Each structure stands twice: as C-alpha cells, then as structure tokens.
Amino acid sequence: MSGYVFAAGALSLLLAAGAMVAAVVAIAWGDLGLSVPSPVVQAVFVLWAITLVGAAAVFIRIALNRLTVRRALRRQGPKGMILITADTVREMAGILLREELGLHRFRVHIRPMGEGLALQITLRLPPGEEVPALAERLQSLLAQEVSAKTGLEVPEVRMVVEGAARPSRSR
Amino acid sequence: MPRDEELIGESPEDGQISISRDVIATIAGLAATDVAGVAPPKGGTMPRGEAVRRLVEVELAEGRVKLALKVGVLHGHAIQEVAQGLQTKVKNEVEKMTALPVDEVDVEVVRVVFPEEGRRKDRFS
C-alpha cells in the first residue's frame, strides 16, 4: 500500500515540476501574456523545478524498493497467499539482534535477492566486540532464524559497521 | 460484482437459504483467534465476539469464497507455520459451517508481538 502512496507522491511531484518548467518556458516566450521575469526569478523557478524532479526521483526509488520487497516477501501456497511484511521481518531481526547479540544501535535494511531476501545491518560496534567474530555470529543467526521462522530464503546478510559505540560510564 | 450475501440453498418447498458476508467474516475471525501464535494486527488485545470480523475481508463471487486476513504473530512462533495453520483452520471452519467452497485464504502478517505487550496495554487502558 505504502509503495503505491509513494508512487502517487512521485507522480504528483513530477507533474508539478513539469507544469513549472512549462510555465517558465511559456512566460519566457511571451505565450502567457505576462512580462518576462528577471533572470534571477527564472533561475529560482528552474532550481525549484530541479528540486521537485529530484524529490520525485527519491519517491520513485522508495516506491519501487517497497514494491519489489513486498513481492519478494509474498509466497503463493496451495491454500492462498502468505505475505510477511517488511516491517515484520525488520522487527524479528531487531528482536534477535537485541536478545541474542545484545546490540542496541542498528538499522535493518531489506532488499530482494533471487527467490529470497538480502539483509543489511548497519551498526555501531559495541565495546569489546571484534568485527570478524560479531559478523560471523550475526550472519549465521539472522540467516538461520529469519529463514526458519518466515520460510523465506536469506542468501545474504551484510554487516556494515559505521562506527564504534562508546563504553557506558559506570559510577 | 461482489455481493453482500450468497445463496447457498434453494428448494421450491422450503425457500432460499443465503448467508451474509459478515457471517462468513465472523466464522473466519473466530477460527483465526483459535490458532496458537496469532496476535492482533494493531496492538492491544485480540478482538472477541463479533468484533473478530474486523480481521477478515471476504470476497463472495458465484458461490465461491476468497478470504484475506491481517494478523500479527506472537514472538517465539514460526511465522510461516502460524500462517499455514491459520489458512487450514479458517478454510476448514468456513467450509464446514457454510458449505461454501473457500478458494483462497490470503494471510498478511504485519507485525511480531511480544506476549507482554497485550497485558501491558490492558493494565493501562
């Protein structure tokens, strides 16, 4: 559903940008019967249109990502379809990371891969942890548990370390 | 064109028997709440009585039924197994009670729920 909302948002932004460009061109050619705005105003309009097109591109990318992830999370069985939403997979991965690995500061990103899902965990390295050991535990835990609990294949689990968490001060 | 009720029997002597979409939704919803591991899709406690029909969307066309359910799953349960159990239970129950064939039971799992969550909300509400 949200994928369609984002697609609608992208379309409306593109239309707005198109209308703005057309209006600037028409004013410049004198078709609208208005005086030609100064180059500064024209530049502002062009920048505005570029911003709208950029925003529309972001919306389109998010919409496409959501729709493809949603498709990857859907399985047709003999009795009907089973869809596990991306939020559910994210929540499940979050619970596993908190409860099994004691992680607290992380983001879970999901993208479709082949017949299954690829997970990317972006985190800050907890104090005392070593990257190779944590990566191995994290990858095997998520690949096995998410696959076992959802029935979806998890061919890739990527861990991205974006910094180190500071040790908490004990008094 | 979807209809609100479906004719399930007709005889010249006894008249017609029809069943409404709401009845099917209630039967399916009650069956769904019986499945272990199923949780409400939007937090709080599991709806009871006729309110369970909110979990189910019913499509009725030419004597055939298609159902769609949105649920949560309790943490610790395998989502795939809960969803498959839900499909089997709901299909069997609706077919048994209405004699209408159920073509599909689509299940959308929208969240994972901690068992404490429902109790906590009960306490503060």
Side-chain angles (χ1 to χ4, degrees):
Chain A
M1 179 66 189
S2 55
Y4 296 109
V5 173
F6 272 96
L11 185 65
S12 59
L13 282 172
L14 277 176
L15 287 175
M20 188 172 287
V21 172
V24 169
V25 171
I27 289 170
W29 284 89
D31 287 353
L32 289 183
L34 298 172
S35 60
V36 179
S38 68
V40 175
V41 176
Q42 284 187 39
V44 168
F45 275 130
V46 169
L47 274 177
W48 197 349
I50 290 170
T51 309
L52 285 175
V53 170
V58 171
F59 268 64
I60 288 170
R61 193 161 165 246
I62 294 171
L64 284 176
N65 186 45
R66 288 189 179 212
L67 289 173
T68 48
V69 167
R70 194 176 166 84
R71 205 164 291 146
L73 291 165
R74 195 164 27 188
R75 288 286 178 276
Q76 187 66 42
K79 291 179 185 134
M81 182 196 73
I82 296 176
L83 168 69
I84 301 169
T85 60
D87 283 345
T88 307
V89 176
R90 243 178 248 123
E91 262 179 88
M92 183 192 291
I95 290 167
L96 288 167
L97 293 173
R98 273 189 291 273
E99 290 196 341
E100 303 291 329
L101 300 181
L103 298 176
H104 294 286
R105 299 182 72 180
F106 55 82
R107 292 192 306 275
V108 181
H109 181 73
I110 299 168
R111 66 186 163 85
M113 178 180 253
E115 289 293 301
L117 296 175
L119 299 178
Q120 180 176 306
I121 315 299
T122 308
L123 53 84
R124 297 183 80 84
L125 191 68
E129 284 283 0
E130 290 170 6
V131 173
L134 179 64
E136 200 178 321
R137 279 189 290 145
L138 182 144
Q139 285 167 336
S140 62
L141 174 76
L142 287 185
Q144 282 171 17
E145 287 294 313
V146 173
S147 183
K149 290 204 166 153
T150 61
L152 301 164
E153 287 174 36
V154 184
E156 185 181 294
V157 180
R158 196 181 288 182
M159 185 177 101
V160 178
V161 180
E162 64 173 6
R166 289 183 183 179
S168 56
R169 286 183 194 168
S170 53
R171 290 183 181 180
Chain B
M1 179 79 185
R3 291 156 52 172
D4 280 340
E5 56 182 43
E6 190 69 33
L7 195 67
I8 58 169
E10 187 172 25
S11 72
E13 306 91 49
D14 303 326
Q16 294 183 340
I17 304 170
S18 59
I19 189 158
S20 84
R21 195 192 289 255
D22 282 351
V23 171
I24 296 171
T26 305
I27 294 167
L30 286 172
T33 55
D34 273 353
V35 178
V38 170
K42 289 176 184 168
T45 51
M46 205 67 182
R48 291 181 190 169
E50 287 191 359
V52 294
R53 72 171 67 140
R54 287 199 304 257
L55 301 171
V56 189
E57 271 180 38
V58 182
E59 266 183 45
L60 269 171
E62 292 164 6
R64 308 194 77 81
V65 181
K66 196 177 161 194
L67 302 166
L69 289 98
K70 242 180 217 187
V71 293
V73 168
L74 283 177
H75 173 52
H77 288 78
I79 295 176
Q80 180 82 348
E81 283 169 24
V82 172
Q84 285 171 345
L86 197 56
Q87 288 180 321
T88 306
K89 174 85 177 173
V90 168
K91 181 176 162 67
N92 292 347
E93 205 68 18
V94 172
E95 286 182 343
K96 190 178 83 186
M97 291 189 70
T98 64
L100 289 169
V102 177
D103 283 345
E104 272 184 43
V105 181
D106 294 341
V107 176
E108 185 173 345
V109 180
V110 293
R111 62 196 290 256
V112 178
V113 179
F114 279 98
E116 307 88 62
E117 192 179 317
R119 287 200 290 272
R120 206 166 48 231
K121 284 199 173 160
D122 275 354
R123 212 180 305 146
F124 291 112
S125 61

